[in-house]
Amino acid sequence: MAGEINEDGFLSKLSLYKALALIALAQQGKQPSPKLLENCIQELPKPQLGEPRDLNALRMQPAQEDVLTVSQTLDKLLARDTVQVELIPEKKGLFLKHVEYQRYKVSVYRRYSDFDVFHEVLLQRFAYRVVPALPPKRMLKGVLTSVSEREFIEGRRRALGRFLNLVARHPFFSEDELVKTFLTFSGSRVSFSTHTRLTPFPKQDVQTKLRDTYKKMGDEFMTNRSATLAKEYLPADIQAQFSTSRELIRNIHNSFQKLRDRAEKMAERSKENATDLLMFGRELSTLGSDASSLPSLASPQSTWGTLRQSLKSLSVEFAVLSDKAAQQGRREEDDVVEKLNLFLDLLQSYKDLCERHEKGVLHEHQRALHKYSVMKRQMMSATVQPKEQASVEQLESRIVQQENAIQTMELRNYFSLFCLHQETQLIFIYLPITSHILGAFVNSQVQGHREMGEVWNELQPKLGCLFGGNNGLRPHI
């Protein structure tokens, strides 16, 4: 810019005039240069600045918040909180403990019925979000199953833990008052006034607290500031995007179900291997404990007597092998199967959400439009055929009410699509959990084979000491 800046960092008056003159020259299509100003003898050229009110449009506008995009990563979601669910057999309840104290440093006691009410109000408040389903409370009667009561309870405990962790990490309702209440509320005693006298009231339970909290807030459509503007944020091809994403996620869901089934079988085989190794060692011990004398028909050169005594000590090594195999099965179950089930719970809740959108808001909107068209036809018929004024006014009032209802349903339908778009992003945010699962699977196999290999390697030279020969190895029979 022409001119100089003074010591205080400001342009002088002459420098400002020269700068405006350069703008005027640029508006005339000339290349701005301080040398052009030397030709201006009498006065400098004046730029066209327009009306002062036009300058309002030149003010810097704050960047619009991208409310539709979920700016989260899997690592950030997993770091939000980790809730552990433990059984309390003597109370027939569940103990919720926050393992990583990211938000709440409390532990609370909950019954299954508390989970049931929590799930109910959570689904009412966030009907347009992925809300994981609860596991069944009891084993289904009359259904043949090989699962024992103890295994069912343990499976339910795991499922409730997955439910809570998905809820506690959800980017849109993890900070909601309902979630905070369920994870922290331990009850409170309140009083109320009757005829100016305070009367003690029973301790408020978490179920009442949850229902009261929901009544005060209502559903997300009533509290989300983007609800009524959802249509403006949605892309024009939202339906096509939704159909494509839904089909892709359906295929992913099917593949992960197969992965989980295979992982469960591998974990089960590790447990069966542990049982077989233990029984194998016990049978060896049984052979070694047999103190019967050899019959006269046995060859004098028979080494069975000495060999039999050596077998008894091998049961210890096989018990260690059995324990290592059992640990391997637990690792596969805790680190691999459980992570697969967590993602599958999320995928299933997404599938349920899509069905709620189609059978719920969308269906109700279409039904309301049909009802509205019927009422309009009735109104047209009333104008052609003379009817009582009161009945016509009543029909007009109903039409107005129906128009308002349709408008609300349209807003809810767009908000449902808005949330569905965000929840679809959430599924893709969780997809890198695949690397966590594969890492856990490989690590469990490496650790398991290493630990069992160490025991086998210790056992091999012992066989040589016990039986002689090539460390217990014999040529093929």
Side-chain angles (χ1 to χ4, degrees):
M1 184 175 286
E4 297 179 355
I5 298 175
N6 60 26
E7 295 178 356
D8 297 328
F10 297 99
L11 284 173
S12 64
K13 183 184 293 185
L14 178 60
S15 297
L16 177 61
Y17 288 158
K18 288 183 178 181
L20 293 172
L22 289 175
I23 294 174
L25 292 172
Q27 290 175 341
Q28 296 172 13
K30 299 177 182 179
Q31 184 67 30
S33 171
K35 292 182 179 181
L36 290 176
L37 299 179
E38 296 175 0
N39 300 327
C40 302
I41 301 173
Q42 294 183 347
E43 61 179 12
L44 297 174
K46 299 177 182 179
Q48 298 295 324
L49 298 178
E51 295 294 328
R53 62 174 177 271
D54 296 334
L55 296 176
N56 290 329
L58 300 177
R59 289 186 302 179
M60 292 186 63
Q61 299 291 333
Q64 285 192 346
E65 182 185 2
D66 187 2
V67 296
L68 189 61
T69 302
V70 183
S71 55
Q72 291 284 347
T73 64
L74 179 61
D75 290 338
K76 286 182 180 179
L77 291 180
L78 295 179
R80 282 196 170 200
D81 209 349
T82 300
V83 186
Q84 183 179 1
V85 178
E86 299 174 356
L87 291 171
I88 308 181
E90 63 273 15
K91 291 186 177 182
K92 295 184 179 180
L94 298 147
F95 189 69
L96 307 186
K97 180 181 180 182
H98 290 258
V99 180
E100 297 178 15
Y101 300 119
Q102 300 293 334
R103 293 182 292 170
Y104 313 121
K105 296 184 178 182
V106 295
S107 299
V108 293
Y109 168 77
R110 294 287 181 262
R111 300 182 66 87
Y112 182 88
S113 58
D114 299 331
F115 277 87
D116 202 21
V117 172
F118 177 50
H119 181 265
E120 175 191 328
V121 295
L122 195 64
L123 197 54
Q124 289 173 348
R125 173 149 171 74
F126 296 101
Y128 311 127
R129 301 288 182 185
V130 286
V131 179
L134 287 179
K137 182 178 181 180
R138 297 183 179 88
M139 295 177 67
L140 298 176
K141 294 182 179 180
V143 178
L144 294 176
T145 177
S146 59
V147 178
S148 66
E149 181 72 16
R150 182 184 61 80
E151 290 173 328
F152 173 80
I153 293 174
E154 172 59 18
R156 189 182 69 178
R157 181 193 69 81
R158 288 176 179 268
L160 290 173
R162 295 194 300 270
F163 164 79
L164 277 184
N165 281 292
L166 285 173
V167 168
R169 296 165 180 168
H170 193 284
F172 296 107
F173 55 71
S174 60
E175 301 290 341
D176 192 76
E177 192 63 27
L178 282 176
V179 178
K180 181 180 179 181
T181 297
F182 187 78
L183 294 178
T184 63
F185 183 75
S186 57
S188 60
R189 293 190 177 278
V190 298
S191 300
F192 62 93
S193 178
T194 305
H195 301 298
T196 67
R197 184 179 63 180
L198 291 179
T199 306
F201 191 73
K203 187 176 183 180
Q204 188 180 25
D205 62 89
V206 68
Q207 296 182 23
T208 304
K209 179 70 172 177
L210 286 169
R211 289 195 170 101
D212 290 345
T213 302
Y214 170 70
K215 288 178 182 177
K216 293 176 183 177
M217 295 187 297
D219 74 338
E220 187 186 10
F221 179 78
M222 305 299 294
T223 57
N224 191 307
R225 59 191 177 93
S226 303
T228 56
L229 302 173
K231 183 179 180 180
E232 299 178 14
Y233 298 122
L234 291 173
D237 61 341
I238 179 63
Q239 292 291 355
Q241 288 189 30
F242 169 56
S243 298
T244 303
S245 299
R246 187 179 184 183
E247 182 62 27
L248 176 59
I249 292 173
R250 183 187 291 115
N251 294 334
I252 291 172
H253 192 175
N254 292 335
S255 295
F256 268 84
Q257 281 182 323
K258 293 175 182 177
L259 288 171
R260 190 270 315 275
D261 293 344
R262 294 298 175 185
E264 282 183 337
K265 288 181 179 179
M266 285 187 281
E268 192 60 35
R269 282 199 295 269
S270 294
K271 295 177 184 178
E272 291 173 354
N273 188 33
T275 302
D276 291 339
L277 286 167
L278 185 63
M279 297 307 297
F280 191 89
R282 287 179 180 176
E283 290 301 328
L284 289 177
S285 180
T286 300
L287 280 173
S289 300
D290 186 4
S292 303
S293 58
L294 292 177
S296 56
L297 292 176
S299 171
Q301 286 81 28
S302 174
T303 60
W304 174 244
T306 306
L307 179 62
R308 185 173 58 182
Q309 293 177 0
S310 303
L311 291 176
K312 190 174 182 180
S313 62
L314 294 179
S315 62
V316 176
E317 279 75 13
F318 278 93
V320 175
L321 286 168
S322 173
D323 183 60
K324 297 297 183 185
Q327 291 178 24
Q328 171 72 3
R330 287 192 293 271
R331 276 194 301 270
E332 291 169 347
E333 199 170 53
D334 296 341
D335 299 338
V336 182
V337 176
E338 195 63 14
K339 286 184 174 67
L340 284 164
N341 277 327
L342 177 77
F343 189 43
L344 281 171
D345 288 349
L346 183 65
L347 290 170
Q348 182 60 47
S349 63
Y350 178 80
K351 179 182 177 182
D352 296 341
L353 173 63
C354 294
E355 292 176 356
R356 282 202 306 274
H357 171 73
E358 291 180 339
K359 297 179 181 179
V361 178
L362 193 60
H363 178 69
E364 289 177 3
H365 184 214
Q366 292 171 348
R367 192 167 60 181
L369 288 173
H370 174 72
K371 183 178 178 181
Y372 177 72
S373 65
V374 171
M375 294 170 67
K376 290 291 285 185
R377 285 196 299 269
Q378 290 175 348
M379 188 64 187
M380 292 175 63
S381 176
T383 57
V384 175
Q385 300 176 359
K387 289 189 176 184
E388 295 182 5
Q389 184 66 24
S391 62
V392 174
E393 291 178 354
Q394 186 179 16
L395 185 58
E396 289 177 344
S397 175
R398 288 173 54 201
I399 289 176
V400 172
Q401 291 177 1
Q402 190 66 12
E403 288 174 345
N404 293 334
I406 289 173
Q407 185 178 9
T408 302
M409 287 182 186
E410 285 179 348
L411 291 174
R412 282 187 174 272
N413 182 42
Y414 283 118
F415 183 61
S416 178
L417 280 170
F418 177 88
C419 295
L420 196 54
H421 192 282
Q422 291 180 325
E423 299 304 296
T424 304
Q425 294 176 62
L426 181 63
I427 299 298
F428 289 110
I429 290 172
Y430 260 93
L431 265 178
I433 200 172
T434 310
S435 62
H436 294 234
I437 295 168
L438 287 174
F441 176 65
V442 171
N443 291 337
S444 70
Q445 297 302 315
V446 169
Q447 183 178 349
H449 286 296
R450 183 181 67 246
E451 291 179 353
M452 293 194 70
E454 290 173 355
V455 180
W456 286 118
N457 288 330
E458 291 174 2
L459 180 58
Q460 191 177 22
K462 185 175 182 179
L463 294 177
C465 298
L466 292 175
F467 309 132
N470 299 321
N471 289 339
L473 297 178
R474 299 298 186 196
H476 292 294
I477 299 175

